[in-house]
Amino acid sequence: MVPFAFRMQARGVTAGGAPGIQFDDEVQNIMYGVNSGRFQNLGRVVPEGYVK
């Protein structure tokens, strides 16, 4: 099973205790095909229980 996309999350804190980096993004599972000359999604299914 190869997912269409995956979720990347990060939450950080600076050395002083203040909020730092924070993001919650969906990253597409794509790559550029040299032979086809275009981007293609390698995924086939959405994993069971996936919630955006």
Side-chain angles (χ1 to χ4, degrees):
M1 174 169 63
V2 178
F4 281 107
F6 61 93
R7 188 173 188 177
M8 183 179 290
Q9 299 174 304
R11 290 191 179 90
V13 179
T14 66
I21 190 172
Q22 182 172 348
F23 63 86
D24 182 356
D25 292 322
E26 182 177 278
V27 180
Q28 297 294 316
N29 190 9
I30 60 174
M31 65 176 277
Y32 184 77
V34 176
N35 293 333
S36 67
R38 62 187 177 110
F39 284 94
Q40 298 175 329
N41 191 316
L42 302 176
R44 298 287 182 254
V45 298
V46 175
E48 185 177 331
Y50 176 79
V51 177
K52 180 174 178 176

